[in-house]
């Protein structure tokens, strides 16, 4: 007999395949449901909002005014003062002519202003991707022996990066970026900062010959093997510049309002370095300079894209790896600064914007660009209001390329090395690594795998090690899902984890278990064994009648999906429980789970009366059943005594 007060579970007819597939795709690819507001709009307004969605420029530009432009103008000029030295420095890190670093800060900012969704992100080249491109492409084509081929392969890798990022954005596959966890990025950036800093010892000591490897052992070995090339003059100048840059960073931390001092410090180092090199004839004292920088705007480079099958695997690999890292870094940085203003950025729009930047950039003599942290932080602190600050930077870079570029030919390489070292020292986040160790040891291991792998093996190997460990952890979560025994909180109708709440009371004659993950072929056997173990533990080693379990209640409210192996496991579990005299009941299955159980005839096998809307309903019915059973047993015993 059933408890008459129980609430009925809705056994509606399963949705059709098309309806269910559409709902699943919407949840997977459109979790933010961006077109929800357009449903009831008129066709013209719907078209207008669709264009605004895909091209964010049309969303903020109509409301733009002179008051906003004043802030963006100041921010744009400020980040230009940082973009010039960084562009030259990171181009040197990528082993391409310095002028291409300036080219890469001219065209991409205009593209991002059209398609980017972040108000604060300032685009440009980044150190990690510059070095990774150099390491990956340099393994196939030497920048010293064949610089022209090397440069063309860099453009080609940038093109593939753009194609990859754009495709992910249009297909709304931003989920792939999530596989680069916070721990992985922290370790990767820290390890990259270490090897970049060590590589700058070549510029600090004025070395002419150096290793092409990036690991710590090879770099330090090259530095000490070339002691005969050390130039004390270069080292002294480098230390002075580095000390000045670090002082400005310290000043910014102590007095945030003086952020502009730190922002213009790299430009000051370049200007002072140029003057010093010109008047002191630095080249005669072993201090190397950048050399000639041609005046003029970006020349077209689409004709230089190299799709030769001999080089295709290298350029595709370089494009995919650097594209994934650049996306993760740019999207994470954009979101971080948006949160500070209680705003949001769309990760898929950002991927499309980065993709277009790199595709168009590869056609116009630019190499890989994204949203660097240092430039974005300066842009944010300078008070930018919209992406117009990137447009201002683009125009400033245009003026620099047309009129000022040749003036930077005297920039000492040691000054660029000091700028890169100062920027990289800020990327080694010791506090975050210590925090990871305190909070989650496995996250710390993932972080250290990236950090040590990048530092002592190579950048791509370190990244793959860390991502591999993160995926292994995710697989362990899937294969060994969480399950817990529930008890009732006294004086309430709440049921919570008995281990977390020791004061909760068990349900006499019933065992309530909560499953908290999808049930698939990978974890179904574990779930069956875990459930049987719970029953064994509950009944105890003794067979006392007080420990007898007559009902097993499985709370499936946290189970988002189930496959056929999972359903077969439940059927097998039911047969085992029947042999033990235990009744299986299901509590609050979600629509996807209930539909599959209905289609697989599982609901008919165990009976629809075994499904409950809440744990309280199920427990009340168990008590009612136990009471009825007890009454029937007592009446039977009385009849036997009478006979």
């Amino acid at each position: 007999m059933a408890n008459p007060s129980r609430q009925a579970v809705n056994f509606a007819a399963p949705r059709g395949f098309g309806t269910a597939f559409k709902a699943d795709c919407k949840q997977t690819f459109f979790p933010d449901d961006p077109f929800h507001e357009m449903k009831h709009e008129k066709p013209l307004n719907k078209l207008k909002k669709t264009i605004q969605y895909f091209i964010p420029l049309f969303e903020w530009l109509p409301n733009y005014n002179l008051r906003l432009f004043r802030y963006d103008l100041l921010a744009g000029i400020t980040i230009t003062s940082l973009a010039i030295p960084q562009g030259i420095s990171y181009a040197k890190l990528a082993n391409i002519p310095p002028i291409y670093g300036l080219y890469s800060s001219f065209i991409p900012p205009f593209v991002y202003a059209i398609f980017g969704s972040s108000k604060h992100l300032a685009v440009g080249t980044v150190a990690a991707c510059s070095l990774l491109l150099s390491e990956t492409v340099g393994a196939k084509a030497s920048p010293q022996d064949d610089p022209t081929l090397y440069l063309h392969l860099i453009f080609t890798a940038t093109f593939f990066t753009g194609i990859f990022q754009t495709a992910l954005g249009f297909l709304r596959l931003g989920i792939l970026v999530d596989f680069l966890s916070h721990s992985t990025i922290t370790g990767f950036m820290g390890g990259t900062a270490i090897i970049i800093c060590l590589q700058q010892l070549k510029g600090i000591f004025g070395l002419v010959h150096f290793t092409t490897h990036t690991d710590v052992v090879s770099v330090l070995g090259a530095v000490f093997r070339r002691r005969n090339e050390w130039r004390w003059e270069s080292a002294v100048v480098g230390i002075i510049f580095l000390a000045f840059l670090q002082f400005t960073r310290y000043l910014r931390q102590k007095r945030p309002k003086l952020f502009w001092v730190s922002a213009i410090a790299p430009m000051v180092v370049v200007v002072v370095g140029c003057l010093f090199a010109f008047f002191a004839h630095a080249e005669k004292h072993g201090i190397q300079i950048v050399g000639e920088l041609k005046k003029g705007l970006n020349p077209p480079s689409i004709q230089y894209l190299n799709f030769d099958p001999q080089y295709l695997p290298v350029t595709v690999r370089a494009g995919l790896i650097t594209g994934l890292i650049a996306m993760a870094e740019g999207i994470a940085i954009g979101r971080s600064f948006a949160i500070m203003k209680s705003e949001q950025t769309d990760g898929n729009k950002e991927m499309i914007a980065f993709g277009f930047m790199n595709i168009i950039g590869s056609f116009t003599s630019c190499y890989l660009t994204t949203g660097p942290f240092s430039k974005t932080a300066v842009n944010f602190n300078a008070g930018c209001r919209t992406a117009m600050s990137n447009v201002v930077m683009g125009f400033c870079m245009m003026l620099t390329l047309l009129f000022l570029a040749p003036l930077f030919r005297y920039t000492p390489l040691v000054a660029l090395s000091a700028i890169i070292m100062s920027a990289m020292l800020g990327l080694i986040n010791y506090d975050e690594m210590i925090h990871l160790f305190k909070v989650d040891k496995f996250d710390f291991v993932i972080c250290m795998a990236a950090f040590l792998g990048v530092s002592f093996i190579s950048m791509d190997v370190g990244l793959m090690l860390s991502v591999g460990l993160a995926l292994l952890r995710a697989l362990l979560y899937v294969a060994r899902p969480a399950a817990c025994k529930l008890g009732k909180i006294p004086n309430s109708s709440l049921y919570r984890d008995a281990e977390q709440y020791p004061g909760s009371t068990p349900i006499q004659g019933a065992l309530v278990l909560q499953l908290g993950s999808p049930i698939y072929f990978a974890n179904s056997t574990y779930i069956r064994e875990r459930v049987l173990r719970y029953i064994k533990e509950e009944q105890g080693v003794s067979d006392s009648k007080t420990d007898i379990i007559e009902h097993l209640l499985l709370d499936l409210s946290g189970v988002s999906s189930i496959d056929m192996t999972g359903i077969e496991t439940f059927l097998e579990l039911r047969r085992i429980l029947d042999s033990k005299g235990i009744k299986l009941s299901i509590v609050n299955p979600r629509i996807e789970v209930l539909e599959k159980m209905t289609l697989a005839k599982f609901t008919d096998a165990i009976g629809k009366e075994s499904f409950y809307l809440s744990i309280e309903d199920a427990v009340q019915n168990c008590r009612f059943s136990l009471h009825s059973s007890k009454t029937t047993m007592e009446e039977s015993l009385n009849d036997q005594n009478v006979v």
Side-chain angles (χ1 to χ4, degrees):
M1 184 182 293
N3 181 4
S5 64
R6 61 175 288 191
Q7 298 293 324
V9 175
N10 181 19
F11 289 96
R15 298 169 297 172
F17 173 77
T19 304
F21 183 74
K22 182 180 177 181
D24 290 342
C25 287
K26 182 178 178 181
Q27 291 298 324
T28 303
F29 300 112
F30 296 92
D32 54 342
D33 195 8
F35 304 111
H36 177 72
E37 298 178 357
M38 306 180 195
K39 285 183 179 179
H40 306 293
E41 293 284 347
K42 295 180 180 179
L44 193 61
N45 286 339
K46 188 179 292 187
L47 176 64
K48 177 184 174 183
K49 290 190 175 182
T50 301
I51 293 174
Q52 289 178 340
Y53 176 79
F54 286 107
I55 307 177
L57 173 73
F58 293 123
E59 187 175 355
W60 58 264
L61 190 60
N63 300 319
Y64 199 72
N65 54 48
L66 188 61
R67 182 180 62 83
L68 295 173
F69 180 70
R70 287 184 301 173
Y71 291 102
D72 289 334
L73 179 64
L74 175 62
I77 294 173
T78 306
I79 57 177
T80 303
S81 68
L82 184 62
I84 294 172
Q86 278 192 350
I88 297 173
S89 303
Y90 295 158
K92 168 180 168 285
L93 201 59
N95 283 320
I96 60 177
I99 191 66
Y100 290 97
L102 299 182
Y103 290 159
S104 300
S105 293
F106 170 43
I107 298 294
F110 291 109
V111 179
Y112 184 81
I114 297 172
F115 297 101
S117 65
S118 172
K119 297 178 181 179
H120 311 107
L121 199 75
V123 300
T125 55
V126 289
C129 292
S130 299
L131 183 62
L132 189 53
L133 276 174
S134 172
E135 181 185 9
T136 309
V137 177
K140 189 69 175 178
S142 171
Q144 289 79 31
D145 299 337
D146 197 345
T148 302
L149 174 62
Y150 175 81
L151 181 61
H152 294 174
L153 295 182
I154 291 290
F155 291 151
T156 310
T158 302
F159 173 76
F160 283 122
T161 292
I163 293 294
F164 174 60
Q165 293 174 332
T166 305
L168 291 185
F170 276 118
L171 296 174
R172 300 189 67 85
L173 293 176
I175 187 175
L176 294 180
V177 180
D178 296 335
F179 284 105
L180 291 179
S181 66
H182 175 69
S183 306
T184 296
I185 294 175
T186 300
F188 178 80
M189 299 307 285
T192 302
I194 291 290
I195 61 176
I196 290 177
C197 284
L198 291 178
Q199 284 209 331
Q200 300 320 301
L201 294 177
K202 175 188 177 184
I204 296 293
F205 288 113
L207 301 178
V208 178
H209 302 91
F210 206 62
T211 180
T212 57
H213 298 288
T214 59
D215 61 282
V216 170
V217 176
S218 299
V219 172
L220 289 178
V223 170
F224 287 103
R225 277 196 305 271
R226 303 289 181 180
R227 289 193 300 272
N228 58 314
E229 296 183 10
W230 289 10
R231 301 302 296 257
W232 67 268
E233 301 96 330
S234 179
V236 169
V237 173
I239 291 172
I240 291 173
F241 282 150
L242 183 59
F244 168 72
L245 290 168
Q246 288 302 101
F247 171 74
T248 60
R249 290 173 62 87
Y250 173 79
L251 191 64
R252 184 190 67 187
Q253 292 173 354
K254 290 297 182 182
R255 296 177 178 271
K257 290 184 178 180
L258 296 178
F259 72 92
W260 57 270
V261 176
S262 176
I264 66 171
M267 194 66 186
V268 171
V269 167
V270 169
V271 172
V272 171
C274 287
L275 295 174
F276 169 76
F278 179 77
F279 290 109
H281 303 286
E283 285 181 283
K284 296 180 180 179
H285 300 283
I287 299 178
Q288 304 168 49
I289 62 173
V290 166
E292 184 180 359
L293 290 175
K294 293 184 294 184
K295 185 165 60 174
L297 299 180
N298 302 30
S301 59
I302 186 172
Q303 69 273 23
Y304 299 135
L305 298 182
N306 191 325
F307 301 109
D308 189 327
Q310 179 183 355
Y311 305 110
L312 208 55
V314 174
T315 52
V316 170
R317 177 172 167 237
L320 295 184
I321 295 176
T322 54
L324 192 61
I325 295 170
M327 276 194 306
E329 182 179 357
I331 292 173
I333 289 169
R335 284 175 177 170
S336 299
F337 285 97
I339 288 171
M340 295 182 188
K341 292 288 187 179
S342 300
E343 298 169 350
Q344 289 184 335
T345 60
D346 188 324
N348 291 291
K349 288 184 190 177
E350 293 296 277
M351 285 190 285
I352 294 173
F354 293 157
F356 284 162
M357 277 195 321
N358 287 310
I359 291 174
I360 297 172
S362 69
F363 297 162
T364 54
S365 298
C366 303
Y367 79 105
L368 190 144
T369 51
T370 184
F373 176 79
S374 56
K375 197 181 292 184
T376 302
V378 169
N379 195 34
F380 181 85
N381 289 324
C384 73
R385 293 295 187 267
T386 67
M388 183 62 76
S389 59
N390 280 290
V391 175
V392 173
M393 178 178 70
F395 278 111
C396 290
M397 289 304 301
M398 181 182 72
L399 297 175
T400 301
L401 289 168
L402 288 174
F403 305 109
L404 303 178
L407 299 179
F408 296 106
R409 70 182 303 270
Y410 290 102
T411 304
L413 295 185
V414 65
L416 300 181
S417 294
I419 291 170
I420 293 173
M421 288 186 77
S422 177
M424 292 302 100
L425 290 174
L427 292 180
I428 307 175
N429 198 340
Y430 302 104
D431 293 336
E432 183 62 24
M433 293 179 186
I434 295 171
H435 180 68
L436 288 173
F437 179 77
K438 291 179 179 178
V439 175
D440 191 320
K441 301 297 188 293
F442 205 113
D443 262 340
F444 176 75
V445 171
I446 292 172
C447 177
M448 286 296 101
F451 182 82
L452 297 176
V454 168
S455 300
F456 291 97
I457 306 176
S458 68
M459 297 177 72
D460 50 351
V461 170
L463 185 65
M464 287 188 288
L465 281 173
S466 182
V467 171
L469 283 174
L471 289 176
L472 176 63
R473 185 186 200 186
L475 288 174
L476 285 175
Y477 283 147
V478 172
R480 295 294 181 266
C484 62
K485 184 180 79 170
L486 302 183
K488 186 175 183 180
I489 304 297
N491 302 318
S492 76
S493 60
L494 300 177
Y495 293 83
R496 294 293 182 266
D497 185 357
E499 184 178 358
Q500 184 179 0
Y501 297 92
S504 61
T505 57
I507 311 303
Q508 186 176 0
L511 175 62
V512 185
L513 299 181
Q514 185 179 66
L515 305 181
S517 76
I519 301 174
Y520 294 120
F521 64 94
N523 61 23
S524 56
T525 301
Y526 171 80
I527 289 174
R528 182 194 64 202
E529 299 299 329
R530 192 71 186 91
V531 169
L532 294 176
R533 181 177 145 197
Y534 268 121
I535 294 173
K536 184 177 179 181
E537 290 174 349
E538 190 71 11
Q539 289 180 331
V541 292
S542 66
D543 293 329
S544 61
K545 294 183 179 180
T546 56
D547 290 329
I548 290 177
I549 300 297
E550 296 186 19
H551 294 271
L552 173 65
L553 311 180
L554 291 182
D555 179 12
L556 302 188
S557 55
V559 177
S560 57
S561 62
I562 189 171
D563 68 356
M564 275 306 301
T565 307
I567 293 174
E568 289 296 328
T569 299
F570 275 173
L571 287 170
E572 183 181 351
L573 181 63
R574 175 178 172 266
R575 286 192 291 268
I576 296 172
L577 295 177
D578 283 347
S579 67
K580 295 177 178 289
I582 300 175
K583 186 177 186 313
L584 174 65
S585 298
I586 304 296
V587 177
N588 192 29
R590 298 178 59 167
I591 183 171
E592 295 88 351
V593 177
L594 188 58
E595 284 179 343
K596 286 190 178 180
M597 287 181 169
T598 302
L599 292 171
K601 308 297 183 183
F602 177 77
T603 53
D604 297 332
I606 71 170
K608 292 184 178 181
E609 68 279 1
S610 297
F611 286 78
Y612 298 90
L613 196 60
S614 68
I615 298 176
E616 183 66 20
D617 277 349
V619 169
Q620 290 296 333
N621 192 72
C622 290
R623 286 173 176 165
F624 184 80
S625 175
L626 288 170
H627 176 72
S628 301
S629 176
K630 184 178 179 182
T631 304
T632 303
M633 187 178 296
E634 289 176 351
E635 290 176 354
S636 176
L637 288 173
N638 290 334
D639 291 342
Q640 289 178 4
N641 290 333
V642 170
V643 174

